[in-house]
Each structure stands twice: as C-alpha cells, then as structure tokens.
C-alpha cells in the first residue's frame, strides 16, 4: 500500500511520468520536466531528493523517452539525446547505471514520435515511429541477459501516425501499441 503525495517543484510543466515498485514499501517515480528527466524514490514514509537523471538542451523534445519495469530491482528508461542517439538507464532500486543503448533508426524518428518500452518480464522492446515516407511503426528488442539490441524491425506503415503513446502488456504473444 502506498500513500499519495505531492512531489516536485511547483510551476514545472510535466506531461509524462512513470512509477515503479522497488520493493519493501518503496517506489520510484520518473518525471518529465522542462528539458530534463528527474527521479525520486519513496522510502516507506517520505520522498527522497528529486534528482536529475537526464538533461537535454532547450530544443530537445524531452517527452521522447519511455520506461518499463521488469522487477523491483530492474527499472529501465530509454531517452533520446540532442545528438540523435539514445541513452539507456537501469535502476536497481538503489542506483542508476548506463547500459548499451540501441542504434539510431534508419531515417531517424518522426517529429514527436515518442518512445514506448514494454517488457515480457525478461527482455525489453523499444517502439517508435520512424521518419520515413510511410511513418513506419518499428520496434527493437533488447536482450537484458546479453546487454544487446536486435535492430529496428518494421511493424507497419502508419502514414499519419506521429506519436507512440504507450505499449501495454504482452498477452497471448501480443503487444498493444497506441499511436
């Protein structure tokens, strides 16, 4: 059971957040603030210090990140850098480490594509809309055990889709993607 609390600075514009159970009545929250991602940990009675995870310049669209949690000691965040690359971070319930990020998709990302992450409980899939003529919805599978990515694979042409909003649980070998 968790209590609800107000966190963060007033006046900061947030439009995406992610919460994860980190075990023993603790939780992690990652929040998108103007030009950066911040995180805080709740430890059974109080929120810890809000800390920057990833800072981008003013021209970056910082909503282009995704998060998923495999277990209480394995929460993942994928964020786009200002140099058209990705950064991948893992939170082990105590601290963050940088992991191998995927390569940049062919044709880059569509404007405001967004990034969604989903897990099957073992590995992770990143989803985006590429900036080709068909605005192709694509995924890239990350194998956690070998810290490696499989490469971007086409799901379908969207022709008009510009935002991967979310990816939901894998059920009967299916992933539901909103775009």
């Amino acid at each position: 059971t968790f209590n609800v609390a107000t966190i963060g600075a007033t006046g900061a514009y947030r439009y995406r957040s992610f919460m994860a159970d980190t075990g023993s009545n603790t939780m992690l929250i990652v929040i998108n603030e103007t030009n950066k991602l911040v995180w805080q940990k709740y430890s059974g009675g109080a929120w810890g210090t809000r800390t920057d995870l990833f800072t981008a310049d003013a021209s970056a669209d910082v909503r282009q990140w995704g998060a998923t949690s495999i277990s209480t000691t394995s929460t993942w965040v994928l964020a786009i850098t200002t140099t058209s690359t990705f950064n991948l971070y893992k939170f082990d319930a105590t601290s963050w480490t940088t992991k191998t990020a995927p390569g940049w998709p062919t044709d880059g990302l569509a404007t405001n594509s967004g990034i969604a992450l989903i897990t099957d409980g073992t590995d992770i899939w990143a989803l985006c809309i590429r900036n080709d003529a068909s605005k192709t919805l694509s995924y890239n599978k990350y194998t956690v055990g070998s810290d490696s990515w499989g490469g971007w694979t086409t799901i379908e042409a969207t022709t008009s889709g510009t935002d991967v909003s979310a990816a939901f649980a894998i059920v009967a070998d299916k992933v539901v993607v909103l775009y």
Side-chain angles (χ1 to χ4, degrees), residues 54 56 59-66 78-88 100-116 126-132 136 138-141 149-153:
F54 176 79
S59 65
D61 181 356
V62 294
R63 72 186 180 105
Q64 291 186 343
W65 63 279
L78 181 66
I80 299 170
T81 71
T82 59
T83 57
S84 297
T85 60
F86 292 104
N87 284 351
L88 180 65
T100 302
W104 195 247
T106 302
D107 299 317
L109 300 181
T111 302
N112 299 323
S113 164
I115 295 292
L127 296 108
C128 72
I129 296 178
R130 296 197 331 249
N131 196 31
D132 58 3
T136 305
S138 299
Y139 75 89
N140 195 338
K141 181 182 176 190
W149 290 88
W152 290 99
T153 303

Side-chain angles (χ1 to χ4, degrees), residues 42-113:
Y42 177 80
S43 296
W47 286 97
T49 303
R50 188 182 54 187
T51 307
D52 291 356
L53 173 62
F54 176 79
T55 302
D57 71 20
S59 65
D61 181 356
V62 294
R63 72 186 180 105
Q64 291 186 343
W65 63 279
T68 192
S69 189
I70 293 175
S71 70
T72 59
T73 59
S74 184
T75 298
W76 299 79
V77 173
L78 181 66
I80 299 170
T81 71
T82 59
T83 57
S84 297
T85 60
F86 292 104
N87 284 351
L88 180 65
Y89 306 98
K90 178 188 176 200
F91 188 70
D92 66 6
T94 304
S95 61
W96 291 95
T97 55
T98 301
K99 304 298 281 183
T100 302
W104 195 247
T106 302
D107 299 317
L109 300 181
T111 302
N112 299 323
S113 164

Side-chain angles (χ1 to χ4, degrees), residues 148-170:
S148 63
W149 290 88
W152 290 99
T153 303
T154 296
I155 297 173
E156 69 179 23
T158 68
T159 64
S160 63
T162 58
D163 183 14
V164 176
S165 299
F168 296 101
I170 297 173

